């Protein structure tokens, strides 16, 4: 017997009691990797004016909130995640006036702006670090400095412990001038701030307020698991993982460098600043974060109703928990692992890709990537799209010589492709012109995917059926359909490879049924047997590109065909 499960939207019930739904609870978030969206000055790197120029695309795609990866001043050792001035924009992206114009134009277009906030570290070119090297107070203890354990036979300074950088090699860098090591959990150009120093926390709170004063609607907190380290600085135990290359992060169990309980206190302090700001201004601000690698710790980032922390940490279950041979139960588990484990009264969110992960299409294939957009955009809560996913962009092959990402470079020529994040960061494919219309210049910072002649926005806008048209229909439903905005979620495993869910609400003109076939063979199923509330006939809303069923076609729900790796979205009453 099928067991269909109902997830009543407790968060909406809770909100109804308070009497207001916050804008971000149903946001359709779009991550812009600013180097790669659109270049207007011909230097081959995307810029703020580029983002302004393509606002019509963002509106047409139907997204409502932009999350911008860092645009702050930076030597770009980690492409903006190494910030040398939290209060200014890097010239490669434009000027301060460009930024203000971006805020204004987005707002005029009805879009909101969320900034990336990187609290764990600064650039080694940040003024605080330069002064810390000089032991200038109050900056002396802004970073994690430790003495050397002595000198080895080669005359090399011995680091305080065995900690490794997430980008490979020792997490300690010797500083000649200060005659001490500093900790860096990412590149050596990203020294770790010391959050046991209250002045550091205060600096970051000031940064949050500055950007809020300048019109941003919220923040995505970067790398929270790394914010605080254990105070004893003991060696971390080895994983003894035979698959893990030497010097890579996977060599150690990160029990002292990641997920320390005090992390939550720091995040709570950020929450406090946001709450104070909301009370002072009456504005509603969103605070979201990267997840932890540990599921339970990720859930604790939410806090509770009485002690809220993040509005939500990102949910990477669709990235990590769906094997290439996906079963219906894998999809159900990925969904349940979030909505059942999430603290009461909180809002779920769904992410299929980002700037650190292979593109969805590269992980799951072109067809299933589209089906995943249907799931991602029609489940309750916040939906997150990585730029390019609306046209189903693919990973791009990058040679060792072309490699830019420090994680790829550190892995060396034999292993770079296992670690490099360049393949998912290539320029957006606007059209079939030179460089896919990304730049007026002759070259681009990362190569454009060769498939751009066929795979580009302009082509997909011209097609009657395309990935972009599907994406638009899905975001349209998010904006206009009460069953998607407020409806309950019912889900069921119909067959080994067929997963289905409904979004329904009493009195709606249309309820929704989403049927996903994760198998590699076409399927024919009786969905009414699994979800008896369904009528005999529904009408197709959007369907996979190779489906014979197209929009508005009647669909017999007791005998329904879904193409391999495809999806159907059906309207029913
Ligand atoms: C986060 C970012 C990643 C960056 C790292 C260091 O994981 O998503 O791109 O390299 O933090 O800031």
């Amino acid at each position: 017997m099928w067991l269909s499960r109902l997830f009543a939207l407790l968060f909406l019930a809770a909100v109804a009691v308070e009497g207001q739904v916050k804008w971000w609870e149903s946001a359709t978030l779009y991550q812009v990797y600013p180097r790669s969206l659109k270049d207007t000055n011909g230097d081959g790197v995307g810029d703020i004016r580029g983002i302004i120029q393509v606002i019509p695309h963002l509106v047409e795609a139907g997204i409502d909130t932009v999350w911008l990866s860092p645009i702050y001043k930076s030597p770009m050792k980690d492409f903006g995640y190494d910030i040398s001035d939290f209060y200014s924009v890097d010239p490669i992206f434009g000027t301060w006036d460009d930024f203000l114009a971006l805020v204004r134009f987005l707002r005029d277009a009805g879009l909101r702006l969320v900034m990336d906030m990187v609290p764990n570290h600064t650039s080694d070119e940040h003024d605080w670090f330069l002064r810390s090297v000089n032991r200038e107070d109050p900056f002396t203890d802004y970073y994690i400095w430790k003495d050397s354990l002595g000198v080895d036979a080669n005359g090399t300074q011995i680091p305080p412990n065995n900690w490794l950088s997430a980008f490979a090699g020792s997490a300690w860098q010797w500083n000649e001038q200060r005659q001490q090591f500093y900790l860096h959990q990412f590149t050596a150009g990203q020294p770790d701030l010391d959050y046991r120093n209250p002045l550091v926390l205060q600096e970051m709170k000031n940064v949050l307020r500055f950007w809020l004063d300048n019109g941003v609607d919220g923040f995505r907190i970067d790398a929270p698991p790394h914010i605080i380290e254990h105070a004893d600085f003991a060696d971390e135990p080895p994983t003894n993982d035979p698959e893990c290359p030497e010097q890579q992060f996977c060599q150690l169990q990160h029990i002292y460098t990641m997920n320390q309980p005090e992390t939550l206190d720091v995040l709570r302090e950020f929450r406090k600043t946001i709450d104070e700001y909301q009370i002072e201004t009456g504005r509603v601000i969103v605070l979201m974060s990267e997840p932890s690698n540990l599921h339970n710790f990720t859930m604790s980032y939410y806090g509770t109703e009485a002690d809220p922390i993040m509005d939500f940490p990102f949910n990477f279950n669709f990235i990590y928990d769906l094997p290439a041979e996906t079963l219906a139960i894998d999809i159900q588990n990925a969904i349940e692992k979030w909505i059942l484990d999430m603290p009461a009264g909180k809002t779920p969110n769904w992410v299929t890709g980002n700037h650190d992960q292979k593109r969805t299409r590269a992980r799951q294939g072109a067809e299933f990537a589209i089906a995943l957009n249907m799931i991602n955009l029609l489940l309750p809560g916040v939906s997150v799209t990585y730029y390019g996913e609306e046209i189903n962009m693919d990973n791009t092959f990058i040679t060792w010589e072309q490699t830019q990402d420090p994680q790829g470079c550190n892995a060396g020529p034999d292993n770079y492709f296992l670690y490099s994040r360049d393949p998912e960061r290539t320029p957006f494919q606007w059209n079939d012109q030179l460089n896919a219309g990304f730049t007026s210049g002759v070259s681009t910072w990362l190569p454009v995917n060769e498939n751009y002649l066929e795979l580009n926005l302009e082509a997909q806008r011209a097609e009657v059926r395309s990935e972009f048209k599907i994406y638009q229909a899905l975001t349209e439903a998010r904006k206009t359909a009460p069953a998607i905005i407020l409806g309950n979620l019912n889900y069921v495993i119909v067959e080994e490879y067929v997963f289905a869910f409904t979004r329904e609400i009493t009195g709606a003109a249309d309820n929704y049924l989403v049927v996903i076939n994760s198998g590699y063979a076409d399927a024919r199923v009786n969905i009414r047997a699994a979800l008896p509330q369904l009528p005999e006939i529904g009408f197709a809303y959007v369907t996979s590109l190779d489906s014979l069923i197209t929009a508005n076609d009647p669909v017999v729900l007791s005998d329904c065909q879904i193409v391999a790796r495809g999806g159907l979205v059906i309207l029913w009453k």
Side-chain angles (χ1 to χ4, degrees):
M1 206 49 236
W2 291 275
L3 178 64
S4 115
R5 307 189 189 197
L6 170 72
F7 171 65
L9 293 185
L10 295 173
F11 76 95
L12 283 171
V15 159
V17 172
E18 270 184 35
Q20 55 159 311
V21 178
K22 297 187 181 116
W23 64 265
W24 54 262
E25 291 180 41
S26 56
T28 308
L29 210 78
Y30 184 87
Q31 182 189 355
V32 170
Y33 195 70
R35 297 180 72 85
S36 299
L37 191 63
K38 178 82 177 145
D39 172 31
T40 56
N41 67 353
D43 65 357
V45 178
D47 45 44
I48 296 173
R49 281 171 180 269
I51 303 171
I52 294 173
Q53 203 177 87
V54 303
I55 287 176
H57 165 62
L58 304 180
V59 171
E60 198 180 57
I63 63 108
D64 53 40
T65 306
V66 169
W67 153 33
L68 195 51
S69 281
I71 53 163
Y72 314 98
K73 190 153 186 277
S74 164
M76 301 289 163
K77 288 179 188 154
D78 190 18
F79 297 106
Y81 284 92
D82 50 322
I83 298 167
S84 54
D85 181 359
F86 289 91
Y87 295 99
S88 71
V89 164
D90 195 89
I92 199 141
F93 295 124
T95 63
W96 181 247
D97 284 345
D98 292 339
F99 171 75
L100 292 179
L102 175 67
V103 172
R104 208 170 51 242
F105 281 115
L106 284 174
R107 187 164 299 153
D108 290 351
L111 303 178
R112 298 185 191 259
L113 177 63
V114 171
M115 298 289 274
D116 218 308
M117 181 65 224
V118 188
N120 181 64
H121 43 263
T122 69
S123 159
D124 62 347
E125 294 182 21
H126 196 292
D127 189 52
W128 302 338
F129 186 72
L130 301 176
R131 289 164 176 244
S132 193
V133 167
N134 277 335
R135 296 182 195 264
E136 267 178 53
D137 280 336
F139 306 102
T140 310
D141 298 325
Y142 265 34
Y143 297 85
I144 315 264
W145 292 101
K146 285 274 158 205
D147 289 338
S148 155
L149 294 186
V151 190
D152 69 12
N154 303 323
T156 311
Q157 299 287 349
I158 303 171
N161 62 29
N162 71 347
W163 293 356
L164 290 169
S165 148
F167 293 162
S170 172
W172 295 98
Q173 178 74 21
W174 177 250
N175 183 276
E176 261 313 304
Q177 191 181 336
R178 183 157 157 155
Q179 289 289 302
Q180 276 188 312
F181 279 97
Y182 68 85
L183 180 71
H184 61 88
Q185 299 194 64
F186 297 92
T187 70
Q190 291 162 295
D192 241 71
L193 286 161
D194 185 355
Y195 275 86
R196 296 185 194 277
N197 181 342
L199 295 178
V200 170
L201 189 59
Q202 190 51 49
E203 292 278 12
M204 280 307 154
K205 291 177 148 202
N206 297 345
V207 170
L208 295 176
R209 279 184 167 270
F210 172 81
W211 290 95
L212 291 171
D213 281 344
N214 282 289
V216 313
D217 298 291
F219 301 96
R220 170 261 190 196
I221 305 289
D222 180 75
H226 300 272
I227 282 181
I228 274 211
E229 297 72 38
H230 194 282
D232 289 352
F233 291 87
D235 276 357
E236 290 189 326
T239 52
N240 298 317
D241 173 0
E243 310 273 288
C244 180
E246 251 179 68
Q247 292 298 310
Q248 286 291 349
F249 200 51
C250 46
Q251 288 282 345
L252 298 178
Q253 300 176 42
H254 303 290
I255 55 173
Y256 301 133
T257 51
M258 295 178 75
N259 306 312
Q260 302 302 298
E262 297 91 332
T263 310
L264 295 180
D265 298 333
V266 176
L267 297 179
R268 221 175 249 120
E269 287 295 321
F270 295 154
R271 161 93 273 151
K272 252 198 234 161
T273 301
I274 298 299
D275 282 350
E276 284 161 15
Y277 198 87
Q278 296 191 113
I279 290 167
E280 284 160 30
T281 61
R283 288 170 55 198
V284 177
I285 306 297
V286 67
L287 191 59
M288 58 205 196
S289 75
E290 238 188 324
S292 160
N293 54 325
L294 304 179
H295 178 67
N296 290 344
F297 205 58
T298 297
M299 287 301 163
S300 68
Y301 291 177
Y302 268 119
T304 62
E305 268 176 292
D307 172 28
I309 305 181
M310 291 291 115
D311 287 320
F312 57 91
F314 282 148
N315 168 2
F316 288 173
N317 293 355
F318 289 151
I319 296 177
Y320 292 134
D321 293 355
L322 297 185
E325 178 80 9
T326 310
L327 300 173
I329 195 164
D330 296 321
I331 302 175
Q332 175 167 295
N333 286 344
I335 294 172
E336 287 197 328
K337 189 169 140 192
W338 200 268
I339 58 178
L340 301 185
D341 292 0
M342 185 178 75
K346 297 291 178 177
T347 304
N349 74 95
W350 314 99
V351 182
T352 47
N354 66 40
H355 63 297
D356 297 327
Q357 307 290 337
K358 276 186 186 173
R359 282 199 176 267
T360 319
R361 181 178 183 144
R363 297 193 316 270
Q364 290 287 349
E367 290 76 19
F368 204 56
I370 301 173
L372 280 171
N373 267 352
M374 295 178 186
I375 303 178
N376 179 313
L377 287 150
L378 297 184
L379 284 173
V382 179
S383 160
V384 188
T385 297
Y386 181 50
Y387 86 97
E389 281 176 2
E390 73 276 34
I391 57 168
N392 211 2
M393 274 174 59
D394 206 348
N395 263 25
T396 301
F397 174 73
I398 310 278
T399 65
W400 165 246
E401 288 71 28
Q402 292 165 328
T403 296
Q404 307 273 343
D405 176 28
Q407 196 171 10
C409 294
N410 287 357
D414 296 336
N415 280 332
Y416 80 95
F417 58 91
L418 295 174
Y419 293 92
S420 175
R421 299 167 297 178
D422 291 333
E424 60 263 23
R425 297 175 175 182
T426 59
F428 188 91
Q429 295 163 210
W430 294 100
N431 55 41
D432 63 2
Q433 306 294 298
L434 182 67
N435 291 320
F438 165 72
T439 175
S440 55
V442 284
S443 62
T444 55
W445 80 285
L446 283 173
V448 172
N449 195 306
E450 281 175 6
N451 66 15
Y452 78 96
L453 289 173
E454 291 81 41
L455 200 169
N456 62 70
L457 177 68
E458 195 173 279
Q460 292 191 17
R461 286 180 77 225
E463 298 284 342
V464 177
R465 296 175 79 184
S466 68
E467 287 100 328
F468 184 62
K469 294 282 169 74
I470 293 174
Y471 188 86
Q472 278 186 301
L474 296 171
T475 55
E476 181 64 19
R478 285 181 74 79
K479 278 189 285 197
T480 57
I484 297 296
I485 300 168
L486 297 166
N488 284 334
L489 168 70
N490 270 292
Y491 52 90
V492 66
I493 294 170
V494 182
E495 274 187 0
E496 194 176 15
Y497 292 105
V498 180
F499 177 77
F501 67 90
T502 63
R503 297 296 310 281
E504 42 187 296
I505 190 166
T506 319
D510 287 308
N511 287 311
Y512 284 70
L513 165 69
V514 182
V515 190
I516 302 293
N517 175 8
S518 62
Y520 288 85
D522 293 353
R524 194 165 178 161
V525 290
N526 178 354
I527 304 170
R528 287 192 79 200
L531 292 164
Q533 73 270 40
L534 295 174
E536 178 60 13
I537 304 283
F539 290 88
Y541 179 63
V542 280
T543 66
S544 285
L545 293 179
D546 51 351
S547 172
L548 294 177
I549 305 168
T550 61
N552 302 321
D553 283 353
V555 183
V556 178
L557 299 181
S558 57
D559 182 19
C560 178
Q561 300 190 33
I562 319 120
V563 292
R565 306 289 281 169
L568 284 176
V569 179
I570 295 164
L571 303 179
W572 59 280
K573 284 189 207 312

